[in-house]
Amino acid sequence: MTSPPPEEEKVADEHDTLRYSLLGPSLTKSGQDNVDQQKVSEIIYNASKGSKYFENEKSRDKNLTQKIERILSTKKQLEKLDLASDRRKADDFIAELELTRDLSQTIVHIDCDAFFAAVEELDRPELKDLPFAVGKGVLTTCNYHARKFGCRSGMAGFVAKKLCPQLIQIPLNFDKYTSKAQEIRELIVDYDPRFESASIDEAYLNITEYCQKNDISPEEAVEQLRREVHEKTKITISAGIAANAKLAKICSNLNKPNGQFILPSKRPAIMAFMRDLPTRKVNGIGRVFERELDAIGVKTCGDIYTYRQFISKLFGEKAFAFLMQCYLGLGRTSVQPAEEYERKSVGTESTFGEMSDPTQLREKLRATAEELEKDMIRTQFKGRTLCLKIKLHTYEVFTRQTIPPKAVYLADDIYKFALPMLSKLEHEFPGMKLRLLGLRCTHLASMKKPDTMAFFGFKKRPTPDSPEVGETMSPPPKRKVELLSNTTEEEEEQWQKWPDELLFEDAERQEREDEYQELEFLSQEIDKRRHHGKEILPNPTPKKVLEEKESREESIEEEWWDCPICNRPQAQDERSFNEHIDLCLSRQTIRDAVQESADNDRARVVVREATPTNKRRTRNEKRDKSGKVGDPKQRRLFFG
DNA sequence: GCGGATCAC
DNA sequence: TATGGTGATCCGC
């Protein structure tokens, strides 16, 4: 790539990259090892050729090729300069990162093998020996028979049929997968009550404590877990065991299906492992970044070190930090229930036959708004920002956003504020033909929060069996002490944004009061018949805790923890207990503040200083202050 | 803050 | 014959 290739070669090269791109994003997945990729890509290419989809992919590929040319030309310029300081900067950064290495935890990533297909096979055993896929238009997954033909997830159905004419396609049954996934979660929760669901068929566990308590090696523990899951649910899972989530995730793919891989938690072993690991195996490096890295000479994570002096100028600081961690094999060692992550957006979108009639488009927009309203109520959020997304018949995607005068969640409001954006787009692209329309709310304002409800005097003591999530065995007295003592910087940072939200909500209290009762009812109703897989259910209660609870209930009457502020008895549930105390404290503080002064600013200051309590405290929480180092959630590309 | 782009599943 | 939906992050402007 250093000297410009002759014209014919260049054309061939473009087609090669396009071919590669058309293979789809799941190329690195298992079950493809014995497949003739050359042949497969030829078939996909020919099946796609000439379609609008293909043309769009071609255009995207061309853009990427140009971007890579710019990267290479920048690199060439950089090579003329003295990069000693950049190299030193990288080395300093690497040294700093090295200090954060934590090899004390045992993290496991588990991944169900061809999950949807496996669940379907349970109901229809006759499928077992046939190639089949789940999903009609686009395959969500396929069994290992189908993979031998080159079929993979994300592939268009008709393309898959070209690869494998006998392929059977069956429709999605999301409810079935959700309930099967829940069965599995009820088993793995015994290995780590605070396990993290990464998706419907994946989870992270920290088994450090489990191994200690049961005097068992990580391999044995995971074999036992996998055996147990297989025996009780008939689903096979693969697992990776390593010192952090990033490595565990990579490892879970190495012995798929129905296998496990352990990477020893020793620095030399980890460094050697990363040195030869293709960049694409790392979660967060996709087809595009892989090509960009490849262009500058980085094929494996070990190569990152060789080119360390170029990376930040070529790809930015975030990518630099991310790649340095890849080189070192660093990743987060914390695992926490998915529901503890803060939601950032709620949205819905759908694809349909090409549509250009403005009236029809408005109907579609209206229907999308109705759909979004349901999701907003289900998740109990309002959006301060509303985003409209369209995909033209050419597959080009555009988004537009607006900030309505008030946070929205009702279909009427959503439609009202989305319509002008649509009209504007119609003006921008006269006679536009759409194949997709979507709406999304961001900058969310919560409308639930049990504390907010109670805060404003709305009824409702926590019932003993309300949320049983996150129940732990740690005793309450210890928590009281932490709670009433000093706060860390990190905590302040966390709850600083809270009073703003509170004031915002306060301003809207009036109009919301009428809505609460109905909303709560609605959200419960929607919850009941939900299950279309948009969300992950809260962690189940560990078996052990359930048993203890049962025996408690049989013998003595229910025990309670007394709230140190209001003295009222509370359910023995750390999470709800926390929430209750937070609520009591903030209510008390605000009353005090309001009494002292009617001045809003003053009240705000007092609130800020005196209620360091809104933050959810969890057992595992401590460091991560070094924000740059541990990514908050593994699936995110970078962190900040 | 906005819009495009990438990524994961 | 006709290539998905949900959610998150990063970058350049």
Side-chain angles (χ1 to χ4, degrees):
Chain A
M1 284 292 252
T2 40
S3 63
E7 200 51 35
E8 309 84 37
E9 257 183 61
K10 196 174 169 187
V11 169
D13 189 54
E14 273 172 19
H15 284 227
D16 282 350
T17 58
L18 178 55
R19 272 187 165 78
Y20 182 68
S21 172
L22 286 170
L23 278 173
S26 60
L27 185 62
T28 57
K29 291 287 151 70
S30 62
Q32 301 285 347
D33 301 341
N34 300 320
V35 180
D36 182 351
Q37 295 301 339
Q38 205 64 29
K39 212 168 150 188
V40 168
S41 89
E42 191 62 25
I43 294 171
I44 297 176
Y45 186 92
N46 287 327
S48 304
K49 199 156 63 181
S51 69
K52 289 171 183 168
Y53 175 82
F54 178 90
E55 291 304 317
N56 184 251
E57 288 300 301
K58 206 163 86 178
S59 150
R60 287 164 54 98
D61 185 71
K62 201 172 164 186
N63 286 340
L64 178 56
T65 303
Q66 283 171 7
K67 185 179 170 197
I68 287 173
E69 277 166 12
R70 286 198 303 273
I71 289 170
L72 285 176
S73 120
T74 306
K75 176 163 174 274
K76 200 162 259 179
Q77 295 302 313
L78 288 175
E79 277 165 342
K80 293 181 192 161
L81 307 173
D82 177 21
L83 293 174
S85 89
D86 294 82
R87 188 181 288 111
R88 195 165 49 243
K89 203 190 86 182
D91 288 338
D92 290 348
F93 188 71
I94 288 169
E96 212 172 293
L97 280 180
E98 187 56 54
L99 296 177
T100 72
R101 190 186 293 272
D102 177 3
L103 298 176
S104 68
Q105 304 298 302
T106 306
I107 308 299
V108 179
H109 178 256
I110 63 173
D111 197 336
C112 301
D113 303 321
F115 184 55
F116 294 179
V119 176
E120 294 294 345
E121 275 179 16
L122 293 180
D123 287 352
R124 302 168 60 176
E126 73 276 11
L127 287 173
K128 217 165 185 142
D129 301 314
L130 303 168
F132 79 98
V134 182
K136 290 286 191 179
V138 169
L139 315 187
T140 63
T141 189
C142 47
N143 67 355
Y144 280 78
H145 276 291
R147 293 184 193 194
K148 284 189 292 196
F149 294 88
C151 300
R152 34 173 94 81
S153 62
M155 182 175 280
F158 76 95
V159 175
K161 280 277 197 183
K162 285 251 157 76
L163 288 165
C164 174
Q166 328 89 287
L167 184 74
I168 298 166
Q169 283 177 268
I170 58 182
L172 281 154
N173 282 298
F174 228 106
D175 286 353
K176 240 164 48 176
Y177 316 142
T178 306
S179 79
K180 199 70 190 174
Q182 200 57 18
E183 283 178 39
I184 297 170
R185 292 187 182 126
E186 278 162 20
L187 298 174
I188 66 176
V189 73
D190 288 334
Y191 293 79
D192 177 7
R194 289 183 44 76
F195 80 90
E196 177 170 330
S197 298
S199 72
I200 189 167
D201 70 336
E202 278 179 50
Y204 291 95
L205 290 78
N206 184 335
I207 58 163
T208 315
E209 206 179 310
Y210 182 91
C211 291
Q212 257 165 21
K213 279 194 176 151
N214 296 279
D215 191 27
I216 188 175
S217 73
E219 289 109 307
E220 285 173 314
V222 172
E223 294 215 0
Q224 175 192 306
L225 180 157
R226 290 178 40 238
R227 192 166 52 240
E228 198 180 333
V229 168
H230 187 216
E231 279 169 8
K232 297 194 175 152
T233 71
K234 301 294 168 206
I235 295 290
T236 66
I237 64 182
S238 299
I241 310 161
N244 63 57
K246 182 185 296 190
L247 295 172
K249 166 84 182 165
I250 295 164
C251 291
S252 70
N253 261 312
L254 297 182
N255 272 324
K256 233 175 188 320
N258 197 13
Q260 63 187 58
F261 183 95
I262 181 165
L263 175 61
S265 291
K266 306 272 190 205
R267 188 177 181 279
I270 294 170
M271 293 301 288
F273 181 77
M274 297 312 287
R275 193 188 57 221
D276 299 323
L277 187 75
T279 57
R280 187 71 158 78
K281 300 278 183 189
V282 179
N283 211 335
I285 300 180
R287 280 174 295 177
V288 171
F289 202 17
E290 177 192 34
R291 262 192 72 190
E292 294 175 359
L293 288 169
D294 182 276
I296 68 159
V298 175
K299 296 184 192 311
T300 69
C301 292
D303 295 335
I304 292 166
Y305 183 77
T306 314
Y307 294 89
R308 63 195 184 287
Q309 67 272 35
F310 295 108
I311 306 237
S312 75
K313 288 214 169 73
L314 293 180
F315 301 114
E317 292 301 322
K318 296 281 170 143
F320 170 78
F322 174 74
L323 289 173
M324 291 311 133
Q325 292 186 74
C326 291
Y327 160 66
L328 291 167
L330 297 176
R332 69 186 168 107
T333 54
S334 61
V335 165
Q336 61 171 352
E339 64 267 24
E340 288 177 16
Y341 287 103
E342 182 194 10
R343 178 190 274 278
K344 304 266 169 41
S345 74
V346 179
T348 183
E349 65 187 58
S350 65
T351 297
F352 39 80
E354 287 178 14
M355 188 183 289
S356 55
D357 174 34
T359 309
Q360 259 188 310
L361 286 177
R362 275 152 188 73
E363 276 167 27
K364 189 60 84 175
L365 185 66
R366 176 77 214 181
T368 310
E370 304 275 358
E371 202 53 43
L372 183 54
E373 178 193 277
K374 279 190 221 161
D375 291 337
M376 300 306 286
I377 292 172
R378 176 171 53 78
T379 57
Q380 293 277 281
F381 284 106
K382 289 180 171 189
R384 296 181 175 112
T385 303
L386 181 62
C387 312
L388 175 70
K389 171 178 172 179
I390 61 164
K391 195 187 278 179
L392 301 182
H393 70 293
T394 56
Y395 288 85
E396 292 167 289
V397 174
F398 297 93
T399 63
R400 295 291 180 267
Q401 53 181 315
T402 185
I403 302 175
K406 58 170 189 172
V408 293
Y409 75 95
L410 290 171
D412 284 343
D413 291 329
I414 293 169
Y415 180 76
K416 185 165 70 187
F417 297 113
L419 184 55
M421 293 192 278
L422 181 68
S423 307
K424 222 168 154 185
L425 284 164
E426 284 173 326
H427 192 254
E428 218 175 313
F429 307 104
M432 67 181 185
K433 275 194 286 212
L434 300 194
R435 75 183 326 273
L436 173 145
L437 201 59
L439 286 169
R440 177 167 297 273
C441 284
T442 62
H443 299 107
L444 300 179
S446 167
M447 41 183 189
K448 70 166 178 209
K449 302 264 193 204
D451 27 313
T452 321
M453 295 283 292
F455 184 93
F456 294 119
F458 278 109
K459 59 173 184 182
K460 219 164 161 180
R461 284 172 292 106
T463 57
D465 57 357
S466 52
E468 316 218 340
V469 221
E471 186 165 304
T472 71
M473 281 150 284
S474 52
K478 188 168 164 280
R479 282 214 66 275
K480 265 189 245 174
V481 177
E482 314 177 343
L483 185 86
L484 299 172
S485 67
N486 58 339
T487 62
T488 66
E489 245 182 86
E490 186 201 4
E491 282 172 341
E492 285 189 22
E493 188 182 304
Q494 274 280 348
W495 58 266
Q496 256 185 4
K497 60 183 173 187
W498 179 65
D500 291 332
E501 185 174 322
L502 179 73
L503 291 174
F504 177 86
E505 289 185 8
D506 192 55
E508 290 209 329
R509 172 159 54 102
Q510 206 57 47
E511 68 190 65
R512 281 219 322 236
E513 282 180 359
D514 311 330
E515 296 165 3
Y516 272 142
Q517 306 286 336
E518 196 197 342
L519 273 181
E520 208 199 342
F521 173 75
L522 280 177
S523 84
Q524 283 168 3
E525 285 305 296
I526 289 179
D527 255 351
K528 281 182 199 160
R529 56 201 153 81
R530 216 183 56 68
H531 276 333
H532 53 330
K534 287 190 186 174
E535 253 115 86
I536 291 161
L537 298 171
N539 282 11
T541 310
K543 215 192 307 164
K544 208 163 130 196
V545 177
L546 269 182
E547 283 162 8
E548 280 169 13
K549 199 174 150 121
E550 270 168 33
S551 72
R552 261 209 315 274
E553 279 166 2
E554 278 166 23
S555 55
I556 342 159
E557 59 189 287
E558 197 93 20
E559 287 180 32
W560 301 83
W561 293 340
D562 288 337
C563 168
I565 290 96
C566 73
N567 277 325
R568 282 187 296 195
Q570 303 300 319
Q572 277 200 357
D573 173 304
E574 189 175 346
R575 191 185 180 80
S576 56
F577 187 70
N578 267 354
E579 282 180 355
H580 173 84
I581 293 178
D582 291 350
L583 159 68
C584 267
L585 274 179
S586 47
R587 178 172 47 198
Q588 188 58 47
T589 312
I590 290 187
R591 276 189 189 141
D592 292 350
V594 171
Q595 201 115 50
E596 265 179 49
S597 162
D599 181 3
N600 228 2
D601 284 341
R602 168 108 179 95
R604 186 189 187 116
V605 169
V606 175
V607 168
R608 228 173 238 187
E609 284 170 357
T611 40
T613 56
N614 195 40
K615 177 164 169 14
R616 306 275 173 277
R617 281 179 210 81
T618 60
R619 286 190 306 158
N620 281 359
E621 220 164 317
K622 34 178 195 244
R623 83 297 69 195
D624 259 329
K625 178 63 226 171
S626 51
K628 296 163 207 151
V629 178
D631 50 340
K633 188 153 190 186
Q634 199 268 341
R635 70 158 185 275
R636 288 172 198 159
L637 177 50
F638 305 123
F639 24 78

